[in-house]
C-alpha cells in the first residue's frame, strides 16, 4: 500500500467527515429555526383518462370493502370480474370503501379533493351506505324505538342527498348504482317490525335516488329474505362469498359501456 | 500525530474492511432495489394505473380500514392516524410523497438503515480496533514506542471517525448508483414536505414547508453520521474494555437489536428514553414520524446520544491510559 494512497484516502475521508458535521448542524438548525412557509397548492389536478379505460369507483362501507367474503373480493371484485368478461376488456376499479362508514362520513369523504378527482374520471359508481346508520352495530335491534329510527333516517336522507349531489356535480354522466339494505336480523324479527323499518328505509332511499338522472337503486332485501343464514358470514351481519355473489350478479348486467358500444 | 493516524489508516486499508463493507452494502441495495421494483410493479398491476395519487388514496383507505378495527393498541392507532393525516396532506397539496427515482430510494434506504444497518457496518470496523491488538499481542509493540498512550488511542479513534465518514458516504453513493439503474437517476429536486410536528396523536401542520429532496437527503446523512459516530464510539469503548472482539460485538449487537424491539413497545415506559438505542431514529423527526416515547424531541435525542458518546470516550481513554498491558 503506497504512502500517497493512504494519504489521499485520509484527506478525502476527513473532508467527508467535515461535510457530514456540516449537514448534521444544518439539520438541527433547520429543524428548529426553519421558516414555516406553508405549502401552496400546486395547480389543479388534471383529469387524465385514456379513452379505452373503463373506470369503476366504489364508495361506501364494509359491504363495498368486502368484509365477510373469504375470497376478499366483495361484490365489487365480483362485479369487476363479470364486467371484464362482458366487455372483454380490462377495467380499472377504485375501491374507496371503509369499514364502519356512516352516511355523514361518506358525505365528508366525497368532498375530499382526490376523491372528487376519482369521481370525475368514473364511468360507473357503486355505493353502499346506510347499514351502519340504521343498525348501529346491532344496537337499534336491541331497543327498537320508532322515533329514534325516524330520526336516524332523517339524518341519513339528508346526508345521502348531499353525497349524491356532490357526485353529480363532479360527474354528470356516470351511471350510479346504489345497493339497498337487507335485514340481517330477519330471523330474530318475529313480528316483522324491523322488516318494516328496513323496507321503509329502502323506499326513502330510492326516492332520493330518483331525483337524479342515471341513478339506479338496486334492491338486496329479497336476496336475503328467505334463506338469510345461507348468505351471511359468521358474524351474522355481513354477507359471505355467496351473498356477495348474489349482489354482484344483480348489478353487473346493469352496467353498460356506452362508448364501447358506439364503436 | 499525523504519522500515527497514517499508520492506523494503513492498517485499516490493509485489512480491506472497507471493501468488505462496500460489498455487503452493494448486495443489500441490489436486493432492496429488486424488492421495491417488484412491489411497484405489483401495485401498478393491482390499481391498473401508475398514477401516484390513486396509489396514495388507496393507502389511505387501507389504513382507515385497519383503523376501523376495534382490536388495536392505542399507540398503533395513533401512529396510523398520524400517517393518514400526513398522506392526506400530501394528497391535498398534490405532492408525491415518494417521487420515483434513485434519490428517493437513497433517502428511504438511509432512513431505514439508520438505526440498525449502518451501526452494524460501523461495528465491523470499530469493535476490533483495540481488542485485536490486544488479542494478537501487537499492542505491546505499539505501546513500547516513545509515544504517549492517549495519542495512540486518539489516532485509533480518529481513524474510526474517518472510516465512519467513508462508510456513510459509500452507502449513499452505492444506493444512488445501483438503484438508479432501475429507477432512473433523478428526483433530486422533488419537493418534500417537512416540519410536521406530532403531539398526542395529532399532526400539527402549522410549521410545514417545502424543501427539495437533496436538502433532506443531506440532512438525513448528517444525522445518520452522528448516529454512526455514537454507536461506533460505544463499540470502540467495548473494544478497549474487553479483550475479546466477539464478546464486544455481541454486547453491541444485543443492545442494538433490543433497541429495535424496545422502540415498538416502550411508549408506556418513559425513562427508557435515556437508553441510547431508543434514540437512534433521528431521521424520523425530520419526516414527522411520532417518536417511540411521548415527549422525545430531536434535541433531546441528540443530547442523550451526546452524553453517551462523551461518557464512552472518557471511559475509553481513562481505561486505556491506566490499563496494565502484559
Amino acid at each position: 500500500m503506497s504512502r500517497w494512497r493512504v494519504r489521499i484516502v485520509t484527506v478525502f475521508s476527513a473532508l467527508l467527515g467535515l461535510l457530514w458535521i456540516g449537514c448534521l448542524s444544518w439539520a438541527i438548525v433547520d429543524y428548529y429555526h426553519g421558516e414555516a412557509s406553508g405549502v401552496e397548492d400546486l395547480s389543479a389536478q388534471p383529469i387524465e383518462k385514456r379513452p379505452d379505460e373503463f373506470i369503476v369507483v366504489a364508495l361506501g362501507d364494509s359491504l363495498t370493502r368486502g368484509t365477510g367474503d373469504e375470497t376478499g373480493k366483495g361484490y365489487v371484485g365480483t362485479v369487476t370480474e363479470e364486467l371484464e368478461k362482458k366487455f372483454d376488456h380490462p377495467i380499472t376499479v377504485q375501491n374507496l370503501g371503509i369499514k364502519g362508514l356512516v352516511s355523514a362520513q361518506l358525505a365528508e369523504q366525497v368532498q375530499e379533493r382526490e376523491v372528487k378527482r376519482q369521481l370525475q374520471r368514473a364511468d360507473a359508481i357503486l355505493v353502499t351506505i346506510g347499514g351502519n346508520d340504521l343498525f348501529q352495530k346491532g344496537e337499534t335491534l336491541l331497543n327498537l324505538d320508532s322515533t329514534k329510527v325516524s330520526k336516524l333516517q332523517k339524518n341519513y336522507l339528508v346526508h345521502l342527498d348531499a353525497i349524491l349531489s356532490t357526485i353529480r356535480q363532479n360527474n354528470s354522466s356516470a351511471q350510479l348504482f346504489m345497493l339497498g339494505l337487507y335485514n340481517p336480523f330477519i330471523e330474530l324479527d318475529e313480528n316483522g317490525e324491523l322488516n318494516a323499518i328496513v323496507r321503509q328505509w329502502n323506499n326513502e332511499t330510492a326516492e332520493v335516488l330518483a331525483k337524479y338522472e342515471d341513478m339506479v337503486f338496486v334492491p338486496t332485501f329479497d336476496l336475503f329474505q328467505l334463506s338469510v343464514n345461507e348468505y351471511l358470514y359468521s358474524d351474522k351481519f355481513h354477507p359471505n362469498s355467496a351473498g356477495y355473489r348474489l349482489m354482484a350478479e344483480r348489478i353487473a348486467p346493469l352496467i353498460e359501456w356506452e362508448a364501447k358500444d358506439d364503436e | 500525530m499525523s504519522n500515527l493516524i497514517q499508520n492506523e489508516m494503513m492498517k485499516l486499508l490493509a485489512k480491506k474492511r472497507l471493501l468488505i463493507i462496500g460489498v455487503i452494502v452493494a448486495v443489500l441495495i441490489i436486493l432492496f432495489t429488486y424488492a421495491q421494483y417488484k412491489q411497484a410493479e405489483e401495485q401498478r398491476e393491482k390499481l391498473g394505473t401508475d398514477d401516484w395519487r390513486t396509489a396514495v388514496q388507496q393507502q389511505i383507505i387501507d389504513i382507515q380500514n385497519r383503523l376501523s378495527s376495534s382490536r388495536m393498541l392505542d399507540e398503533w392507532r395513533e401512529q396510523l392516524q398520524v400517517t393518514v393525516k400526513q398522506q392526506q396532506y400530501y394528497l391535498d397539496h398534490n405532492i408525491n410523497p415518494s417521487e420515483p427515482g434513485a434519490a428517493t430510494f437513497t433517502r428511504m434506504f438511509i432512513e431505514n438503515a439508520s438505526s440498525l444497518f449502518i451501526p452494524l457496518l460501523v461495528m465491523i470496523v470499530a469493535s476490533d480496533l483495540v481488542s485485536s491488538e490486544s488479542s494478537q499481542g501487537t499492542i505491546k509493540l505499539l505501546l513500547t514506542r516513545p509515544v504517549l498512550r492517549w495519542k495512540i488511542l486518539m489516532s485509533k479513534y480518529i481513524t474510526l471517525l474517518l472510516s465512519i465518514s467513508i462508510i456513510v458516504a459509500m452507502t449513499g453513493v452505492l444506493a444512488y448508483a445501483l438503484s438508479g439503474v432501475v429507477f432512473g437517476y433523478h428526483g433530486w429536486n422533488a419537493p418534500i414536505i417537512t416540519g410536521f410536528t406530532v403531539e398526542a396523536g395529532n399532526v400539527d401542520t402549522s410549521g410545514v414547508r417545502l424543501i427539495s429532496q437533496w436538502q433532506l437527503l443531506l440532512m438525513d446523512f448528517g444525522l445518520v453520521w452522528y448516529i454512526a459516530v455514537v454507536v461506533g464510539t460505544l463499540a470502540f469503548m467495548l473494544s478497549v474494555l474487553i479483550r475479546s472482539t466477539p464478546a464486544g460485538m455481541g454486547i453491541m449487537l444485543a443492545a442494538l437489536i433490543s433497541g429495535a424491539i424496545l422502540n415498538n413497545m416502550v411508549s408506556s415506559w418513559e425513562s427508557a428514553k435515556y437508553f441510547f438505542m431508543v434514540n437512534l431514529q433521528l431521521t424520523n423527526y425530520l419526516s414527522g414520524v411520532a417518536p417511540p416515547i411521548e415527549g422525545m424531541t430531536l434535541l433531546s435525542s441528540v443530547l442523550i446520544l451526546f452524553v453517551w458518546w462523551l461518557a464512552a470516550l472518557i471511559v475509553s481513554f481513562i481505561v486505556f491510559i491506566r490499563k496494565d498491558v502484559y
Side-chain angles (χ1 to χ4, degrees):
Chain A
M1 183 84 45
S2 59
R3 206 161 172 77
W4 63 268
R5 247 179 82 192
V6 175
R7 182 152 293 176
I8 288 177
V9 174
T10 313
V11 171
F12 181 64
S13 54
L15 289 177
L16 282 176
L18 288 178
L19 170 68
W20 298 144
I21 292 176
C23 291
L24 171 66
S25 350
W26 182 26
I28 296 173
V29 170
D30 185 79
Y31 184 76
Y32 284 103
H33 295 289
E35 287 274 308
S37 62
V39 178
E40 54 184 312
D41 277 0
L42 296 170
S43 70
Q45 297 156 1
I47 317 168
E48 65 283 325
K49 181 173 177 247
R50 296 192 305 270
D52 66 333
E53 231 181 341
F54 189 86
I55 299 177
V56 175
V57 173
L59 296 170
D61 49 25
S62 48
L63 296 185
T64 300
R65 192 70 194 173
T67 309
D69 185 350
E70 299 90 40
T71 60
K73 285 185 292 197
Y75 84 92
V76 179
T78 312
V79 165
T80 312
E81 287 177 0
E82 295 284 318
L83 288 183
E84 282 181 342
K85 257 187 266 168
K86 183 170 149 187
F87 298 156
D88 194 22
H89 192 280
I91 64 172
T92 307
V93 186
Q94 276 299 304
N95 190 334
L96 304 179
I98 299 171
K99 284 185 274 178
L101 209 69
V102 295
S103 57
Q105 290 167 312
L106 182 57
E108 270 172 42
Q109 198 193 14
V110 292
Q111 292 295 339
E112 281 172 21
R113 195 170 162 180
E114 173 60 19
V115 175
K116 278 187 189 168
R117 197 183 67 97
Q118 302 282 7
L119 287 171
Q120 286 162 13
R121 290 163 18 117
D123 292 293
I125 299 168
L126 306 176
V127 184
T128 63
I129 196 70
N132 297 308
D133 291 71
L134 173 59
F135 297 119
Q136 307 203 308
K137 295 181 178 137
E139 251 176 66
T140 309
L141 182 72
L142 292 177
N143 31 20
L144 268 181
D145 173 358
S146 60
T147 51
K148 212 175 131 201
V149 170
S150 70
K151 207 174 143 215
L152 289 174
Q153 193 182 44
K154 221 176 104 199
N155 282 333
Y156 158 78
L157 291 172
V158 171
H159 293 139
L160 179 66
D161 197 34
I163 294 162
L164 297 179
S165 79
T166 309
I167 292 175
R168 264 295 166 257
Q169 275 162 27
N170 285 287
N171 189 327
S172 54
S173 62
Q175 311 151 342
L176 182 142
F177 302 89
M178 175 154 177
L179 287 169
L181 300 187
Y182 55 90
N183 183 2
F185 306 113
I186 198 162
E187 295 214 319
L188 306 171
D189 184 31
E190 280 159 7
N191 49 15
E193 220 176 328
L194 192 59
N195 267 345
I197 290 172
V198 175
R199 224 168 24 241
Q200 213 233 334
W201 189 283
N202 283 334
N203 288 341
E204 295 293 329
T205 303
E207 287 298 325
V208 177
L209 280 158
K211 294 202 309 196
Y212 300 88
E213 226 171 283
D214 287 336
M215 291 202 180
V216 181
F217 179 82
V218 182
T220 61
F221 190 93
D222 51 337
L223 296 175
F224 294 84
Q225 194 173 359
L226 296 179
S227 41
V228 70
N229 281 327
E230 232 171 275
Y231 297 118
L232 284 192
Y233 179 58
S234 57
D235 63 1
K236 294 289 169 223
F237 185 68
H238 294 107
N240 58 18
S241 305
Y244 278 119
R245 177 151 278 282
L246 284 183
M247 295 159 75
E249 278 167 356
R250 191 158 267 188
I251 299 179
L254 303 178
I255 302 178
E256 293 300 334
W257 190 352
E258 283 150 22
K260 197 170 192 212
D261 294 344
D262 293 345
E263 280 171 19
Chain B
M1 194 69 193
S2 158
N3 281 333
L4 279 172
I5 297 174
Q6 293 277 315
N7 186 33
E8 287 297 331
M9 272 316 261
M10 179 107 82
K11 281 195 251 175
L12 186 79
L13 292 177
K15 277 196 240 171
K16 298 214 166 26
R17 282 285 155 79
L18 294 178
L19 202 68
I20 295 170
I21 292 175
V23 172
I24 297 176
V25 172
V27 169
L28 265 165
I29 287 171
I30 291 172
L31 280 180
F32 285 135
T33 304
Y34 183 71
Q36 181 108 41
Y37 169 73
K38 274 284 170 202
Q39 195 191 6
E41 199 179 50
E42 194 197 312
Q43 189 181 40
R44 197 166 37 237
E45 228 166 68
K46 231 175 176 174
L47 295 176
T49 166
D50 20 88
D51 181 25
W52 65 267
R53 290 181 215 96
T54 310
V56 173
Q57 178 72 57
Q58 207 56 56
Q59 278 167 19
I60 292 175
I61 296 286
D62 285 345
I63 298 176
Q64 280 172 335
N65 271 295
R66 282 168 67 192
L67 280 171
S68 69
S69 143
S70 53
R71 292 178 297 274
M72 186 184 279
L73 285 178
D74 280 349
E75 49 187 290
W76 289 358
R77 181 181 297 275
E78 265 176 25
Q79 193 87 45
L80 286 177
Q81 272 163 349
V82 168
T83 315
V84 166
K85 282 175 196 154
Q86 282 174 342
Q87 298 280 58
Q88 191 68 56
Y89 195 85
Y90 270 97
L91 201 52
D92 289 345
H93 293 84
N94 202 18
I95 292 170
N96 189 347
S98 49
E99 190 84 32
T104 304
F105 178 88
T106 308
R107 181 171 62 82
M108 302 273 193
F109 184 76
I110 201 86
E111 282 174 359
N112 288 308
S114 70
S115 64
L116 199 58
F117 183 54
I118 303 256
L120 282 179
L121 295 178
V122 169
M123 273 170 52
I124 295 178
V125 173
S127 15
D128 75 340
L129 266 183
V130 180
S131 57
S132 72
E133 305 255 9
S134 308
S135 53
Q136 290 169 12
T138 46
I139 189 128
K140 283 177 223 165
L141 295 175
L142 206 58
L143 293 182
T144 48
R145 291 205 284 177
V147 193
L148 288 172
R149 274 197 186 188
W150 72 265
K151 280 194 172 169
I152 291 178
L153 193 65
M154 189 52 113
S155 70
K156 282 187 175 297
Y157 186 67
I158 289 176
T159 308
L160 174 64
L161 292 184
L162 295 178
S163 46
I164 288 174
S165 308
I166 295 183
I167 291 171
V168 171
M170 193 163 63
T171 311
V173 170
L174 282 174
Y176 183 70
L178 293 176
S179 68
V181 175
V182 176
F183 302 121
Y185 296 97
H186 47 74
W188 290 105
N189 287 320
I192 297 280
I193 301 174
T194 176
F196 288 113
T197 41
V198 181
E199 226 165 292
N202 275 314
V203 183
D204 181 6
T205 53
S206 62
V208 297
R209 65 216 140 83
L210 218 51
I211 59 173
S212 291
Q213 181 145 262
W214 65 268
Q215 292 173 307
L216 187 62
L217 251 174
L218 282 181
M219 291 189 216
D220 275 349
F221 273 108
L223 294 175
V224 167
W225 179 82
Y226 182 67
I227 295 165
V229 166
V230 173
V231 175
T233 309
L234 288 165
F236 183 75
M237 175 186 77
L238 287 174
S239 153
V240 172
L241 294 178
I242 306 172
R243 288 174 63 116
S244 139
T245 308
M249 270 194 125
I251 294 173
M252 268 326 273
L253 212 63
L256 287 175
I257 292 174
S258 69
I261 299 170
L262 273 176
N263 266 330
N264 290 323
M265 45 194 225
V266 284
S267 65
S268 43
W269 175 21
E270 213 191 310
S271 47
K273 70 178 174 200
Y274 298 110
F275 286 131
F276 79 91
M277 55 270 200
V278 177
N279 289 291
L280 293 182
Q281 283 166 333
L282 295 180
T283 53
N284 278 357
Y285 293 108
L286 299 192
S287 45
V289 178
I293 300 170
E294 183 104 38
M296 283 167 63
T297 62
L298 177 64
L299 201 61
S300 80
S301 286
V302 167
L303 287 178
I304 288 168
L305 289 177
F306 180 77
V307 170
W308 279 83
W309 170 80
L310 195 65
L313 208 58
I314 291 173
V315 170
S316 309
F317 274 86
I318 290 179
V319 170
F320 190 76
I321 290 169
R322 298 209 174 145
K323 184 151 92 169
D324 286 326
V325 177
Y326 43 84

